[in-house]
Amino acid sequence: MIHLCNLQEKLTLTDMGILMTAAVCHDLDHPGYNNTYQINARTELAVRYNDISPLENHHCAVAFQILSLPECNIFANVDPEAFKQIRKAIIALILATDMARHGEILEAFKQKVDNFDFTNEEHVTCLKMLLIKCCDISNEVRPTEVAEPWVDCLLEEYFMQSDREKSEGLPVAPFMDRDKVTKPTAQIGFIKFVLIPMFETVMKLFPQIEELMVQPLRDSRDHYEELKQIDDAMTEAQKKKTENMSLGRKKK
Ligand SMILES: *[C@@H]1O[C@H](CO)[C@@H](O)[C@H](O)[C@H]1NC(C)=O
Ligand SMILES: [Zn+2]
């Protein structure tokens, strides 16, 4: 996205360092169970962070623990005042990846996009937050053969969580339930209602993302809608077959 949107000509070198560091670090030590689980199960992380974005706070804290090691400190030559700013900005970006804040962050950017000002710090912060969000959930922008195996991994993670929620008597979301969700149903809603609206908003500022990001999302949506039609037809055929079998038994 940096190159596609020509950010090296629009943002400072510091901002690029902030974006890339936050992107690399934003999911460090992720346990594979989401914030809702952490809070409902009252895990150590939820208790430590008082239920406030426990995971993202943890990813960020781990990032700065690593950066505090002399052999890992890529900011060793930055003066203390600049480091304070960089640290603050990286924290803001990693915390912005909490999907519970998706609506809030997208709306804040929408308010600015029509009069976007690259010299306005608040505008640029808002843009960086949206950019890291786009990259975070960009799997479906990639070609199907790259994206689909990762959807399998994602569902695997959801199923692990919902199984654990069931066994611990905690609330389970239908979209994570192995008895309810399928690959197409999991992806269609997310692509239509989260990804396309967000990338189309970024497209207002960077029209060049349409061809390489927005169109692939539309294609992916169409691909999963076709798969869903096949799934639905098979379920329907299976239902008819079962009905006929029970009718047959009654006749006898
Ligand atoms: C996290 O899991 C819960 C189920 O415990 C679900 O309701 C919620 O939507 C999930 N959050 C995200 C961001 O996927
Ligand atoms: Zn992530």
Side-chain angles (χ1 to χ4, degrees), residues 34 36-37 40 99 158 161 165 171-173 175-176:
N34 79 9
T36 309
Y37 174 84
N40 289 340
M99 283 303 287
Y158 282 2
Q161 180 178 319
E165 286 167 335
V172 180
F175 77 91
M176 290 188 167

Side-chain angles (χ1 to χ4, degrees), residues 17-27 90 93-94 97 132 135:
I18 288 164
L19 266 172
M20 289 191 279
T21 308
V24 170
C25 297
H26 86 282
D27 263 339
I90 292 176
L93 291 193
I94 296 182
T97 62
I132 196 172
C135 295

Side-chain angles (χ1 to χ4, degrees), residues 97-103 106 110 130 133-134 136-138 140-141 158 175 186-202 214 217 221:
T97 62
D98 183 351
M99 283 303 287
R101 295 177 56 201
H102 176 77
L106 181 56
K110 276 186 185 169
L130 211 62
K133 283 177 58 50
C134 285
D136 188 14
I137 56 179
S138 61
E140 287 298 345
V141 172
Y158 282 2
F175 77 91
Q187 293 314 89
I188 292 169
F190 190 67
I191 297 170
K192 278 167 85 163
F193 301 114
V194 178
L195 292 175
I196 293 180
M198 177 166 70
F199 280 87
E200 280 181 346
T201 306
V202 175
V214 180
L217 286 172
R221 171 200 61 198

Side-chain angles (χ1 to χ4, degrees), residues 148 183-184 188 222-232:
E148 234 185 284
K183 225 190 291 187
I188 292 169
D222 297 344
H223 163 71
Y224 282 116
E225 278 180 337
E226 275 172 37
L227 285 185
K228 183 173 183 299
Q229 296 226 311
I230 298 169
D231 273 6
D232 289 350

